[in-house]
């Protein structure tokens, strides 16, 4: 009975990854790609200071986005789980959170450009209110714009697992803590957050992997002034440097898997899946 699933895993996951790893050891010239077992792609990758700058930039985007999505996602999930008593309203408000995801990621991302532009809505409103005297140039084509787009695109991936975990918390536990004299902050810190760790970890894995592999958002929202590992791979592919792109992809995959393995040491998410 497992054979169909095994075949799907092998064809669509294991074989593509094996092919990428294989190509990463091939040699590329200006005119051709030579199937050979060489380490020059990895040597060039780890010997270039640009690589380390790009990886640092990628981690910066991932960590800031993770912190913002965790704060927003936890707050939204907490409100839906503990302050909305009616199941009908919980479902209604949760569906409202998913409305932006009914459109393409690219459309939602590009929609920020006329809002954040020098002559956009944000600058126009701030100037009309007298908050600023001149348009703010850093609202668009900057790290701020990139992170804002990331948070907009991926917050729901943090809301869903946290909300799912919070809904499984027995109300009697919160009542027992309240009867024991715990205030709201103590209940949050000692009861709700520990029991919500599996959902937080699942959301963290989703957000970190999505942000670290995204390159379209960085390209458009930074105005091609910034880069991450995804853009590095995209540029190599555009230049037909497939072995170099494959080597970078292998390093990125290894980095993401290492991060996930570290996260899984803090909590057993198999109970949540």
């Amino acid at each position: 009975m497992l054979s169909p699933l095994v075949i799907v895993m092998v064809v669509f996951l294991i074989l593509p990854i094996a092919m990428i790893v294989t190509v990463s050891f091939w040699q590329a010239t200006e005119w051709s790609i030579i199937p050979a077992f060489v380490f020059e792609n990895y040597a060039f990758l780890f010997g270039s200071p640009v690589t380390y700058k790009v990886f640092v930039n990628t981690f910066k985007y991932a960590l800031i986005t993770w912190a913002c999505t965790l704060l927003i996602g936890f707050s939204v999930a907490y409100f839906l789980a503990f302050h909305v008593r009616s199941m009908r309203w919980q479902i209604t408000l949760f569906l409202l959170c998913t409305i932006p995801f009914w459109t393409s990621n690219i459309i939602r991302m590009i929609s920020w450009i006329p809002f954040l532009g020098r002559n956009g809505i944000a600058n126009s409103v701030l100037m009309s209110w007298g908050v600023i005297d001149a348009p703010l140039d850093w609202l668009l084509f900057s790290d701020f714009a990139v992170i804002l787009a990331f948070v907009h695109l991926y917050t729901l991936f943090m809301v869903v697992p946290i909300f799912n975990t919070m809904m499984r918390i027995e109300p009697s536990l919160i009542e027992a803590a309240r009867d024991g004299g715990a205030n709201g902050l103590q209940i949050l810190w000692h009861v709700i957050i520990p029991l919500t760790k599996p959902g937080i970890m699942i959301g963290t894995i989703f957000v970190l992997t999505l942000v670290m592999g995204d390159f379209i958002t960085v390209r458009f929202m930074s105005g091609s002034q910034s880069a991450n590992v995804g853009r590095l791979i995209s540029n190599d592919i555009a230049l037909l440097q497939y072995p170099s792109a494959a080597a970078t992809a292998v390093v990125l995959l290894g980095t993401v898997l290492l991060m996930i393995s570290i996260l899984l040491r803090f909590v057993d998410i198999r109970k949540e899946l």
Side-chain angles (χ1 to χ4, degrees):
M1 294 178 65
L2 291 176
S3 299
L5 297 177
V6 172
I7 293 173
V8 170
M9 288 283 290
V10 170
V11 174
F12 294 102
L13 180 64
I14 296 177
L15 286 181
I17 292 178
M19 179 59 69
I20 292 174
V21 174
T22 302
V23 174
S24 69
F25 291 100
W26 288 4
Q27 186 178 15
T29 65
E30 296 180 359
W31 303 278
S32 63
I33 297 176
I34 304 172
F37 190 81
V38 294
F39 291 94
E40 63 180 26
N41 297 310
Y42 291 97
F44 177 78
L45 185 65
F46 289 107
S48 173
V50 176
T51 301
Y52 298 99
K53 293 180 181 179
V54 170
F55 267 90
V56 169
N57 214 34
T58 302
F59 286 125
K60 178 184 68 175
Y61 287 146
L63 291 177
I64 297 177
T65 303
W66 167 79
C68 295
T69 54
L70 177 60
L71 179 62
I72 297 173
F74 189 91
S75 302
V76 172
Y78 182 85
F79 174 77
L80 293 176
F82 298 109
H83 290 278
V84 180
R85 300 299 180 182
S86 171
M87 178 66 70
R88 178 181 299 177
W89 276 107
Q90 283 180 341
I91 296 174
T92 301
L93 294 175
F94 183 80
L95 290 177
L96 285 176
C97 294
T98 65
I99 287 178
F101 287 80
W102 296 357
T103 59
S104 168
N105 277 10
I106 297 178
I107 294 175
R108 286 186 285 129
M109 175 188 62
I110 294 178
S111 65
W112 283 105
I113 295 179
F115 183 82
L116 300 174
R118 183 176 178 83
N119 299 317
I121 298 174
N123 275 320
S124 299
V125 171
L126 292 175
M127 292 180 66
S128 65
W129 288 352
V131 179
I132 57 176
D133 298 325
L136 300 175
D137 294 328
W138 53 266
L139 290 181
L140 185 62
F141 301 143
S142 61
D143 287 344
F144 170 80
V146 173
I147 293 171
L148 180 63
F150 275 145
V151 172
H152 179 210
L153 293 175
Y154 301 130
T155 296
L156 189 64
F157 291 95
M158 189 69 77
V159 173
V160 173
I162 295 178
F163 175 69
N164 182 52
T165 307
M166 284 184 176
M167 290 299 294
R168 299 184 183 184
I169 298 177
E170 291 291 337
S172 58
L173 296 176
I174 299 176
E175 284 294 328
R178 188 175 290 112
D179 293 340
N183 55 36
L185 185 61
Q186 290 174 327
I187 293 174
L188 176 66
W189 186 256
H190 295 288
V191 178
I192 296 177
I193 291 180
L195 294 176
T196 314
K197 281 183 179 180
I200 293 175
M201 289 302 168
I202 294 174
T204 298
I205 292 172
F206 280 148
V207 171
L208 290 181
T209 53
L210 289 170
V211 171
M212 294 190 70
D214 192 314
F215 66 94
I216 292 293
T217 303
V218 177
R219 177 183 175 185
F220 281 98
M221 300 306 294
S222 70
S224 296
Q225 300 181 49
S226 185
N228 65 345
V229 181
R231 277 210 66 194
L232 200 63
I233 297 172
S234 176
N235 292 339
D236 284 339
I237 293 175
L239 296 173
L240 304 182
Q241 297 295 316
Y242 298 118
S244 178
T248 308
V250 170
V251 174
L252 176 61
L253 177 62
T255 304
V256 172
L257 290 178
L258 178 62
M259 294 174 60
I260 292 175
S261 64
I262 294 174
L263 292 173
L264 293 180
R265 289 182 175 273
F266 291 97
V267 65
D268 185 10
I269 66 171
R270 288 178 297 179
K271 298 178 181 180
E272 200 69 18
L273 298 176

